[in-house]
Amino acid sequence: MFFVLSLPSQQTFTAWCNSHLRKAGTQIDNIEEDFRDGLKLMLLLEVISGERLAKPERGKMRVHKISNVNKALDFIASKGVKLVSIGAEEIVDGNAKMTLGMIWTIILRFAIQDISVEETSAKEGLLLWCQRKTAPYKNVNIQNFHISWKDGLGFCALIHRHRPELIDYGKLRKDDPMTNLNTAFDVAEKYLDIPKMLDAEDIVGTARPDEKAIMTYVSSFYHAFSGAQKAETAANRICKVLAVNQENEQLMEDYEKLATDLLEWIRRTIPWLENRMPENTMQTMQQKLEDFRDYRRLHKPPKVQEKCQLEINFNTLQTKLRLSNRPAFMPSEGKMVSDINNAWGSLEGAEKGYEEWLLNEIRRLERLDHLAEKFRQKAAIHEAWTDGKEEMLQKHDYETASLSEIKALLKKHEAFESDLAAHQDRVEQIAAIAQELNELDYYDSPSVNARCQRICDQWDALGALTQKRSEALQRTEKLLETIDQLYLEFAKRAAPFNNWMEGAMEDLQDTFIVHTIEEIQVRQLVPQRDQALIEEHARQQNNERLRRQFANQANVIGPWIQTKMEEIGRISIEMHGTLEDQLTHLRQYEKSIVNYKPKIDQLEGDHQLIQEALIFDNKHTNYTMEHIRVGWEQLLTTIARTINEIENQILTRDAKGISQEQLNEYRASFNHFDRKRSGIMDAEDFKTCLISVGYNLGENEFSRIMSIVDPNRMGVVTFQAFIDFMSRETADTDTADQVIASFKVLAGDKNYILADELLRELPPDQAEYCMARMAPYTGPDGVPGALDYMSFSTALYGESDL
């Protein structure tokens, strides 16, 4: 390796070496001359490494010098440094380039290589450290180790960040680099014990300052502030822990809000579904049915997705809590997943009852409409028949009638009485229909009852008038028969007249046979009835077509949903390929399922036609629309949950370093004891499983374990909870003690921490987070404003309350 090092590097390296050699009470004046015998080189390595090298040769001969330099080079090589083209002879001979190259190698190994910031090391780590420390300062933008430092503000910012009392940064100007550089160099030498390794004139006077010189000098700042670096490491740990808690708390807040909103929607919806106030007309009830269809098609599906997402968020949150060594999340009272499932069950129960009530009400209204029309028809026919009958019965025509006329009137009246008796059945039918309309809560029952009452009252009046007229006719007949006896003799003498009278009576009797209006009306009704039957036949044919149309699709969709459910179950339970393979497979399934949605929508359309046609049975299929809807919702929910379970298993696997083989072993063990092949173990199966792997379980111990794997007391153990439990010892997670130790560093070893210290060491939002939750410190060594970081840290892990 050939090094081209400038004069500033030689000056810087000399100063750097002396900053260490003075700890041993010595120094060098000329870097290429004073290391030639190897003695001070070995001493330098002992000081910076803290280790003892082999005993040096004290002779003055060249061979002794080469031996000493070789001991130094061997020590450097033992630290993993490859020394290319650097030999002891060149160092002994005073080769300046080789000597400077060797010193640069030592600087890289012992001053820079161990610098590590956020998983970067050496040069990149040092640069990142500079960027982070100077980020808050205006006019400072550190991108490299040459021109980024020319104005001197970068050096001043590093000092001010760690020791703000040493420099008044606000008075510095970017256009005065000489003042800035000299201020930084003087302060560093006087207060930080960092020797002046650079000249301001050399930096300002060159287009590109020497990179190695600046790196060496900046590394001295890094090591000078090593205590602050310790604090930064502690702050980083705290930041990560707080970030986990903040993310988890956000997930908890999201869960609580989503659960609250969902429960509120259920609470508002159930009373609507339980409102069974009947409507008066078929039109208004069909509008209710249409509103219910809108609810099922438009309003409920997003809530099904919300419920599914809620369960997914809950499971993911619990997984993250377990992986970060936090206690399980316990939702607010009444907002557990089981509470939401219970409320959802009540909603679906109300749905089922509401739809059944709607259909029964529509059937009732259909029957009511039919009965009401039947009542009107029969009442109209009866009222037409009774028209004029009271006037006819109230006539006094018998008062001027002869005996033969009276007999004719009697015959006519007997015929009317017979006809009246025949109409008794119709009146009773009308009354029975009115009674049924009343019992079925027909909305227009008052007018029906009034009309029925009028018919009955009129019927009673007709009966009374008929009886009265019958009695009057009979009295008149007897009277005329007496008169007829008196005139018998006269009659015998007047035979021709009698003959004429009899003929006249026959003629009169013939006119009363013409009672044919009803027969004429019947003949008119026959074609009307034929037309009604034709129309009904066509309606029934259309209904049958609708039944078959729905059944043909339902008999395909129903089994398809069942098949997909079974396939998803197999993918999640069987061990084919990696978790990523299973995830890919499941997402393909999800896509194919979503693409099937138009067929469900088409079936909904056919179902609507069936309901509008008032069809309430279908012998061609065992699937109802409700079966299909529930199955479809379960399918969407199951695929989403299963995908989430695999994602959580990947989280657990990666966090705990579980191999695919271990995961397969866990799955095989779980499947063996999942006797119902449902993807979950009940408590007894889980207990048997634990015993089989060597756990010696008493009731108390098993209860403790169940509280870990089933924190929400569902009575079952999922595969996710199972692998969390089985691999719980392998997790590399932060603990409360580690966080307490980190806070102790930030607090300067005190048992409490101050708000200023939090604001100085942590990002503003996380500092505010701590201050808002830390209790006041109550120890005897406390001061005003002291905060208790210990109880706060234990609360982060559920060991106390925030």
Side-chain angles (χ1 to χ4, degrees), residues 269-464:
T269 304
I270 286 179
W272 172 65
L273 294 170
E274 290 180 340
N275 179 11
R276 311 291 164 83
M277 286 293 291
E279 297 292 345
N280 293 334
T281 66
M282 179 74 81
Q283 183 179 1
T284 52
M285 284 306 297
Q286 285 179 325
Q287 182 58 50
K288 278 183 178 284
L289 185 60
E290 186 59 35
D291 292 343
F292 181 70
R293 287 197 199 105
D294 286 344
Y295 158 81
R296 286 306 312 254
R297 285 196 306 253
L298 305 176
H299 304 303
K300 189 186 177 190
K303 299 302 177 183
V304 173
Q305 292 176 2
E306 284 181 23
K307 177 177 178 290
C308 179
Q309 192 61 48
L310 187 76
E311 294 178 17
I312 286 172
N313 290 354
F314 182 82
N315 292 334
T316 300
L317 172 59
Q318 297 292 39
T319 297
K320 288 186 173 183
L321 288 170
R322 283 192 291 264
L323 293 179
S324 58
N325 200 25
R326 305 304 200 275
F329 169 53
M330 294 296 289
S332 302
E333 183 71 27
K335 294 177 186 173
M336 301 278 287
V337 171
S338 57
D339 296 321
I340 291 164
N341 286 336
N342 290 338
W344 193 263
S346 299
L347 175 77
E348 295 195 321
E351 264 181 36
K352 189 172 185 297
Y354 186 67
E355 186 171 33
E356 288 175 355
W357 173 78
L358 280 174
L359 296 177
N360 287 334
E361 275 297 294
I362 288 173
R363 287 193 191 98
R364 183 181 70 83
L365 288 174
E366 182 187 34
R367 174 157 178 75
L368 281 173
D369 285 350
H370 172 73
L371 285 173
E373 181 59 29
K374 189 174 181 181
F375 174 84
R376 286 190 290 271
Q377 287 177 353
K378 287 188 175 294
I381 291 170
H382 178 76
E383 288 163 348
W385 179 81
T386 60
D387 186 41
K389 293 295 190 289
E390 289 188 41
E391 292 82 351
M392 182 269 291
L393 292 172
Q394 290 173 338
K395 283 183 181 179
H396 292 264
D397 51 352
Y398 53 82
E399 292 179 352
T400 58
S402 65
L403 182 60
S404 60
E405 289 173 334
I406 286 296
K407 289 188 179 294
L409 287 173
L410 274 169
K411 288 183 182 286
K412 180 180 178 182
H413 190 71
E414 288 171 1
F416 174 77
E417 286 182 319
S418 177
D419 198 10
L420 185 67
H423 276 75
Q424 176 72 30
D425 185 51
R426 176 174 291 134
V427 174
E428 290 174 355
Q429 287 180 7
I430 290 170
I433 292 172
Q435 178 63 27
E436 191 170 0
L437 287 170
N438 277 306
E439 290 171 355
L440 292 174
D441 294 329
Y442 182 54
Y443 77 97
D444 200 21
S445 286
S447 64
V448 168
N449 292 337
R451 190 172 184 181
C452 181
Q453 190 62 48
R454 286 197 301 274
I455 289 171
C456 290
D457 291 345
Q458 186 186 40
W459 184 254
D460 292 341
L462 284 176

Side-chain angles (χ1 to χ4, degrees), residues 62-157:
R62 177 180 172 82
V63 66
H64 298 137
K65 296 178 181 179
I66 290 175
S67 175
N68 288 338
V69 172
N70 270 327
K71 288 175 182 178
L73 295 179
D74 289 344
F75 178 78
I76 295 170
S78 73
K79 298 301 180 183
V81 179
K82 291 183 179 179
L83 295 166
V84 181
S85 301
I86 298 177
E89 291 81 359
E90 287 89 346
I91 305 300
V92 171
D93 291 340
N95 185 315
K97 290 179 180 178
M98 290 299 167
T99 302
L100 291 174
M102 177 188 66
I103 297 302
W104 174 239
T105 300
I106 291 171
I107 291 170
L108 280 177
R109 171 60 185 83
F110 293 100
I112 298 174
Q113 181 175 312
D114 290 338
I115 294 173
S116 178
V117 179
E118 291 190 359
E119 299 180 2
T120 64
S121 59
K123 179 180 177 180
E124 293 79 10
L126 184 60
L127 184 62
L128 179 58
W129 179 79
C130 295
Q131 290 170 337
R132 290 188 57 182
K133 291 300 181 182
T134 60
Y137 294 86
K138 64 180 182 179
N139 296 326
V140 178
N141 183 18
I142 304 299
Q143 297 297 325
N144 50 56
F145 285 111
H146 38 82
I147 60 174
S148 292
W149 303 86
K150 282 193 66 174
D151 58 16
L153 290 176
F155 294 112
C156 292

